[in-house]
Amino acid sequence: MNKNDRQRLIKTRLIIDKEVSVKALAGTFSVTERTIRNDLQALADKHLCEMFYGGARLIKHDEDIYFESTSINNISTLLEAPSTTKARSYPAVSRANETSPEIYILGSFNIDIVLEVNEFPKVGESVLAHSTKYYGGGKGANQAIAAAKINDQVHLTIKVGQDLFADRAKNYLANANIASLNILEDAEHPTGNAIILVSQPSGENKIAINLGANSHITVDDIIHDLDYIRDCRVFLTQLENNFDIMSLAITYAKKSGATTILNPTPYNDSVKKILPFVDIITPNEIEAFDLSGIVINDHESARLAAERIYRLGVKHVIITLGDKGCHYFNGNRHFHLAGHKAAVIDSSGAGDSFNGSLAASIANGKPIEDSMIFANAFASLKVERRGASNMPDTSLVEARLSTNNL
């Protein structure tokens, strides 16, 4: 491994662990302690860390201020791929001393650039924003953070670029309560990013996404995770990765016996090809229209759309309806769940909170309908918080359910 690759990995190690040992790094990279001290001094010269006897610690920068910090349960030595590859895979999990995750999420990471406005601009119009904030986001990351609030065995696989946003992604996810991570890197494509306009009066949002590295996961990348996919109880994914790899992973998960959940967003009509491998699909009203051709404007149209989607081959259909709750159909029974009253501040991430908490509840052994009830309350609390990944604690969900006598 060349010096630049080694220093890049040491930098990632610092971001994750906040502190590193010269002796441990020398063993990891099979080099002398003097070589590691030189590497750390090079990073210290860039004001990334400060050295002490036997190691170095990360210097925290003010630019991380918008990224929520919690904790991480299990992340170990990063393994390097051959230096000749353009896209490197860094499996951040030691498989030797841990069990497989209960929930596997093949997902995405985006930096969310959030602008708060009074009104959304019309075509050709410029409006003033009241604030600009930066949050860790991406449907996969958001759903993993939501699921980890409920289940402590969540695994997330994402792909980022080799840019400043990638460093933010690693730092952010290392401080999220996710049990294990596989952070892939792509030298040719940027870390995903999204521009989110949030209407200050209503909390509604409009989003434009550049998927970047998210849409360039490869077969070689996913091979590292096949054991995890095979052994998980619940597999959750979206359409923010490249479709072929998502299809491969969800097919393998289904054949391995996992409960497969697909959140079909951003919508791609090719998704209809893989619905026989999907146990639970969770479209919103717009995606349900794309799948069924039926405009949803009341309970009856939701019923008809759910029935038509079911006939495409999926076992369970859950249409999320925003503040109107959600609608379920399994081929035999319809079940409509009303929404909770909420003081909406920011609706971005509401669908992710629903999907993540739904997956975790199912992994915890709850029936689908009970899991829907929990996820419906969880999502109603999420919209009362700023930031797409700012998820509520389970105690608040239980209190809301108790108050509503569910």
Side-chain angles (χ1 to χ4, degrees):
M1 180 187 298
N2 64 40
K3 178 176 67 175
N4 290 337
D5 285 346
R6 188 175 60 248
Q7 289 181 7
R8 190 190 305 276
L9 286 168
I10 292 172
K11 178 182 176 182
T12 302
R13 186 77 262 159
L14 274 164
I15 290 171
I16 290 169
D17 284 348
K18 307 299 186 291
E19 192 170 294
V20 295
S21 158
V22 169
K23 184 176 182 179
L25 289 174
T28 297
F29 295 107
S30 300
V31 296
T32 66
E33 293 186 11
R34 179 178 180 180
T35 297
I36 294 298
R37 282 193 290 271
N38 289 339
D39 288 335
L40 290 173
Q41 186 59 58
L43 296 175
D45 290 343
K46 297 177 182 177
H47 307 291
L48 295 170
C49 65
E50 57 183 4
M51 297 184 67
F52 58 84
Y53 182 77
R57 64 177 60 88
L58 180 72
I59 296 175
K60 186 168 179 62
H61 296 281
D62 290 341
E63 59 195 346
D64 294 329
I65 190 170
Y66 291 119
F67 295 88
E68 180 186 8
S69 295
T70 50
S71 62
I72 192 159
N73 296 327
N74 188 352
I75 192 161
S76 66
T77 304
L78 297 175
L79 305 177
E80 74 279 5
S83 59
T84 56
T85 60
K86 292 184 178 179
R88 291 197 295 280
S89 170
Y90 297 143
V93 182
S94 170
R95 299 171 190 257
N97 57 5
E98 67 170 74
T99 58
S100 293
E102 293 186 353
I103 304 165
Y104 178 98
I105 299 176
L106 176 61
S108 54
F109 181 90
N110 298 320
I111 294 293
D112 290 346
I113 305 168
V114 181
L115 305 175
E116 290 189 345
V117 296
N118 280 338
E119 294 182 353
F120 295 128
K122 301 178 181 66
V123 176
E125 180 186 19
S126 297
V127 298
L128 294 176
H130 298 290
S131 68
T132 303
K133 292 184 172 65
Y134 299 83
Y135 295 99
K139 290 191 171 298
N142 295 342
Q143 291 173 8
I145 291 171
K149 290 283 188 177
I150 304 151
N151 183 293
D152 62 4
Q153 287 297 317
V154 176
H155 174 88
L156 171 66
T157 289
I158 61 164
K159 194 164 197 175
V160 298
Q162 291 181 358
D163 49 27
L164 181 62
F165 281 172
D167 293 339
R168 298 295 152 262
K170 294 171 190 174
N171 196 8
Y172 172 73
L173 290 171
N175 287 292
N177 192 32
I178 300 170
S180 59
L181 299 166
N182 187 1
I183 302 175
L184 306 160
E185 279 194 3
D186 191 319
E188 296 182 348
H189 302 94
T191 301
N193 54 88
I195 302 294
I196 304 176
L197 296 182
V198 177
S199 168
Q200 206 169 49
S202 67
E204 294 178 341
N205 64 74
K206 292 189 175 182
I207 304 173
I209 302 172
N210 175 9
L211 292 177
N214 290 313
S215 58
H216 293 278
I217 293 181
T218 67
V219 172
D220 288 341
D221 291 334
I222 210 68
I223 283 173
H224 289 290
D225 282 3
L226 289 183
D227 288 344
Y228 275 9
I229 296 173
R230 182 194 63 216
D231 295 337
C232 72
R233 294 184 63 184
V234 176
F235 176 97
L236 170 62
T237 192
Q238 326 78 31
L239 300 179
E240 281 193 341
N241 300 117
N242 47 313
F243 187 82
D244 290 342
I245 295 303
M246 184 278 295
S247 301
L248 173 68
I250 201 169
T251 302
Y252 184 73
K254 177 61 178 174
K255 291 181 176 179
S256 299
T259 297
T260 54
I261 304 176
L262 174 63
N263 180 212
T265 182
Y267 183 76
N268 178 343
D269 203 52
S270 297
V271 76
K272 294 176 182 177
K273 301 175 185 177
I274 63 163
L275 292 188
F277 298 99
V278 176
D279 289 309
I280 304 169
I281 193 166
T282 59
N284 63 19
E285 294 163 284
I286 296 171
E287 294 142 10
F289 167 75
D290 290 330
L291 285 162
S292 69
I294 295 174
V295 176
I296 298 175
N297 47 33
D298 55 22
H299 288 180
E300 182 58 26
S301 55
R303 287 170 62 94
L304 294 173
E307 290 174 358
R308 186 167 293 181
I309 295 168
Y310 174 82
R311 289 197 292 271
L312 295 174
V314 66
K315 290 184 176 180
H316 304 270
V317 180
I318 301 174
I319 302 176
T320 58
L321 303 169
D323 60 3
K324 297 185 290 296
C326 52
H327 188 91
Y328 169 75
F329 181 62
N330 65 356
N332 296 310
R333 180 171 183 266
H334 285 277
F335 172 52
H336 185 84
L337 194 59
H340 293 269
K341 291 183 179 179
V344 179
I345 294 176
D346 181 359
S347 63
S348 58
D352 299 333
S353 67
F354 182 93
N355 280 275
S357 57
L358 177 78
S361 296
I362 292 171
N364 287 349
K366 289 186 177 181
I368 290 180
E369 292 185 16
D370 289 346
S371 297
M372 279 179 58
I373 290 170
F374 184 91
N376 192 45
F378 192 97
S380 74
L381 286 158
K382 159 61 203 77
V383 300
E384 296 180 344
R385 297 158 172 258
R386 281 188 172 85
S389 63
N390 190 1
M391 303 297 173
D393 293 325
T394 56
S395 59
L396 297 174
V397 181
E398 290 163 0
R400 177 152 291 183
L401 289 172
S402 177
T403 299
N404 286 274
N405 297 315
L406 290 175

